[in-house]
């Protein structure tokens, strides 16, 4: 185990509490990674610093849900095949209790990309669907920004080696820690001020796109010719939000994206992923999707095709899109030149789209709509929300107005408009 520099670890923890959550005095905090049963025990040094920072900023109580990946491997190796619909329901209920009480929620996004490599895809599918069933009430709150929540990552054995395969386990973990610190702007003199400036810049990008109110976007690049209709009243957002309780927070650390929702019935064409997708510990690689009237009608993958198929068949909304996000190729994460096999990081290196549910706050008044009203206005509903990367240095994006006028939004993966 490679323990990072304590000073940097403290700055990372403080960033998660001050900028990520903007934790308020008197709030409780739950730290989790529910899909896999909790936060890896390997990350205890970071979690201790997060708890310290939370208490120093007025938290009443910090609850941490833990996991051990070896237990997950043992389950897949020895447990009965028909037992994977079992789930520790108390874990989901615990997080839901915190949310309903108005407390803060911090997720740790990290898993060995090969954790479930070689496992029966049907068993993996049951495992994923069981999680999604129990996570659904929580995801509804997240999509409405009921409370201040955030997501960050931390290195793990296996994952670190996947990112830096030429290094020893200890060296690869040390390298991944340093990379995380750099892309999270912790190398700057005042990381909090740097993040405040960055979030304002993203908000200005959103203001520009919201003023344009494009009716559609057109993506073109290698293997991609995709037309995305945007519903009337769509709203461009960044990860800088305010909870329903009025607390500003930053949902993802790091973040480089601005995003909105496509119309669930107005997606046409073909798209090819530019990076592999780590879906719950299984890799889907070299995949392409063809859309017609908003639905995926054909697909292929060089690796993990059955996992992709099962994901698309999760429910009726799983084969439609719920998000489109724009990220410049010059983002710090992209310029690292690394493939992270982690959606939180890879999605902020590349423009991307997401299969599954749309966020309610991406539509004007969406938080107050019923499911039927949200769908009628073009918002997709599903148990899943799976981002995958489609951008790069050779991706162009056009904005199409309601009058049919076409304007460049991105050229060669970079913004085609200036904020000055």
């Amino acid at each position: 185990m490679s323990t990072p520099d304590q000073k940097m670890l403290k700055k990372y923890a403080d960033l998660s509490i001050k900028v990520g959550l903007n934790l308020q005095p008197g709030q409780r905090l739950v730290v989790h990674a529910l899909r896999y049963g909790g936060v890896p025990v390997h990350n205890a040094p970071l979690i201790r610093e997060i708890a310290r920072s939370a208490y120093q900023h007025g938290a009443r109580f910090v609850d941490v849900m833990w996991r051990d990946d070896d237990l997950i491997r043992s389950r897949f190796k020895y447990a009965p095949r028909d037992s994977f619909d079992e789930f520790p329901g108390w874990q989901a209920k615990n997080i839901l209790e915190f949310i309903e009480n108005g407390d803060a929620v911090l997720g740790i996004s990290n898993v060995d990309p090969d954790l479930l490599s070689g496992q029966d895809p049907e068993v993996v599918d049951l495992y994923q669907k069981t999680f999604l069933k129990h996570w659904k009430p929580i995801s509804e709150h997240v999509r409405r920004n009921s409370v201040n929540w955030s997501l960050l990552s931390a290195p793990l054995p296996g994952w670190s080696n996947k990112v830096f395969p030429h290094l020893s386990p200890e060296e690869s973990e040390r390298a991944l820690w340093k990379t995380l610190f750099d892309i999270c702007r912790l190398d700057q003199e005042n990381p909090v001020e740097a993040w405040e400036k960055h979030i304002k810049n993203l908000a200005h990008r959103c203001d520009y796109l919201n003023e344009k109110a494009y009716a559609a976007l057109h993506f073109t690049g290698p293997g991609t010719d995709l037309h995305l209709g945007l519903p009337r009243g769509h709203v461009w957002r960044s990860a800088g939000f305010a909870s329903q309780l009025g607390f500003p927070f930053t949902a993802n650390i790091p973040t480089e994206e601005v995003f909105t929702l496509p119309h669930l019935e107005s997606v046409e064409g073909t798209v090819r992923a530019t990076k592999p997708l780590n879906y719950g510990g299984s890799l889907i690689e070299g995949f392409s999707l063809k859309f017609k009237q908003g639905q995926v009608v054909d697909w292929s993958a060089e690796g993990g095709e059955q996992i992709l198929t099962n994901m698309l068949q999760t429910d009726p909304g799983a084969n439609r899109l719920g998000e489109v996000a724009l990220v410049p190729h010059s983002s710090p994460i992209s310029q690292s030149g690394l493939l992270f096999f982690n959606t939180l990081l890879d999605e902020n290196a590349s423009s991307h789209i997401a299969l599954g549910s749309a966020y309610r706050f991406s539509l004007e008044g969406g938080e107050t709509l019923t499911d039927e009203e949200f769908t009628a206005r073009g918002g997709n509903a599903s148990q899943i929300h799976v981002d995958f990367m489609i951008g790069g240095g050779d991706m162009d994006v056009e904005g199409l107005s309601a009058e049919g006028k076409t304007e460049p939004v991105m050229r060669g993966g970079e913004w085609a408009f200036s904020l000055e």
Side-chain angles (χ1 to χ4, degrees), residues 30-286:
V30 60
V31 186
H32 74 95
L34 182 61
R35 181 186 290 267
Y36 314 106
V39 180
V41 293
H42 186 81
N43 296 138
L46 171 63
I47 302 306
R48 293 181 190 121
E49 286 298 326
I50 289 173
R52 170 203 54 78
S53 184
Y55 284 125
Q56 289 179 339
H57 286 84
R60 287 180 57 83
F61 177 64
V62 178
D63 187 27
V64 181
M65 302 168 65
W66 297 100
R67 83 167 190 263
D68 182 343
D69 285 349
D70 282 342
L71 297 180
I72 297 176
R73 294 186 183 96
S74 292
R75 183 182 184 192
F76 272 85
K77 186 174 182 179
Y78 300 114
R81 302 295 88 180
D82 62 354
S83 71
F84 281 81
D85 59 353
E86 298 284 347
F87 190 86
W90 66 268
Q91 293 181 340
K93 290 177 182 177
N94 183 43
I95 297 175
L96 197 58
E97 178 190 331
F98 273 73
I99 291 174
E100 292 174 344
N101 191 57
D103 297 311
V105 180
L106 180 64
I108 307 298
S109 172
N110 60 350
V111 67
D112 180 351
D114 295 321
L115 177 65
L116 302 182
S117 176
Q119 301 297 334
D120 183 343
E122 297 305 319
V123 177
V124 173
D125 182 51
L126 178 57
Y127 179 76
Q128 300 289 353
K129 287 179 178 176
T130 299
F131 156 74
L132 291 168
K133 173 184 175 182
H134 287 82
W135 180 254
K136 184 178 179 180
I138 299 168
S139 65
E140 288 299 319
H141 282 286
V142 169
R143 288 171 185 143
R144 295 173 186 268
N145 282 335
S146 296
V147 295
N148 41 330
W149 61 276
S150 191
L151 194 64
L152 70 155
S153 196
L156 280 180
W159 177 33
S160 300
N161 277 123
K162 193 80 172 180
V163 179
F164 296 100
H166 59 289
L167 298 179
S168 70
E170 185 170 321
E171 290 172 333
S172 66
E173 187 167 347
R174 189 180 302 118
L176 188 51
W177 272 119
K178 183 182 184 308
T179 301
L180 278 175
F181 294 152
D182 289 346
I183 63 180
C184 289
R185 295 174 168 79
L186 295 178
D187 57 342
Q188 301 194 25
E189 184 175 347
N190 191 323
V192 173
E193 285 186 3
W195 267 93
E196 289 173 348
K197 180 180 179 181
H198 177 54
I199 293 299
K200 286 181 180 179
N201 180 273
L202 292 177
H204 292 327
R205 295 284 175 190
C206 292
D207 290 343
Y208 174 91
L209 292 167
N210 284 326
E211 185 176 342
K212 288 292 183 179
Y214 292 122
L217 296 176
H218 184 205
F219 289 77
T220 54
T224 294
D225 186 351
L226 190 68
H227 184 281
L228 296 173
L230 302 177
R232 183 175 299 177
H234 69 273
V235 180
W236 286 93
R237 301 279 194 180
S238 70
F241 296 110
S243 73
Q244 290 184 14
L245 299 174
F247 306 143
F249 68 95
T250 305
N252 291 350
I253 301 289
T255 183
E256 303 289 339
E257 67 178 319
V258 297
F259 65 93
T260 190
L261 77 167
H263 195 291
L264 82 163
E265 295 180 344
S266 299
V267 183
E268 303 284 341
T270 301
V271 62
R272 180 171 177 82
T274 52
K275 295 177 184 288
L277 170 63
N278 178 7
Y279 182 60
S282 298
L283 280 181
I284 306 172
E285 301 176 274

Side-chain angles (χ1 to χ4, degrees), residues 15-33:
L15 186 70
S16 73
I17 297 300
K18 293 179 183 179
V19 175
L21 292 172
N22 184 23
L23 189 74
Q24 301 296 300
Q27 278 191 306
R28 300 184 305 167
L29 170 63
V30 60
V31 186
H32 74 95

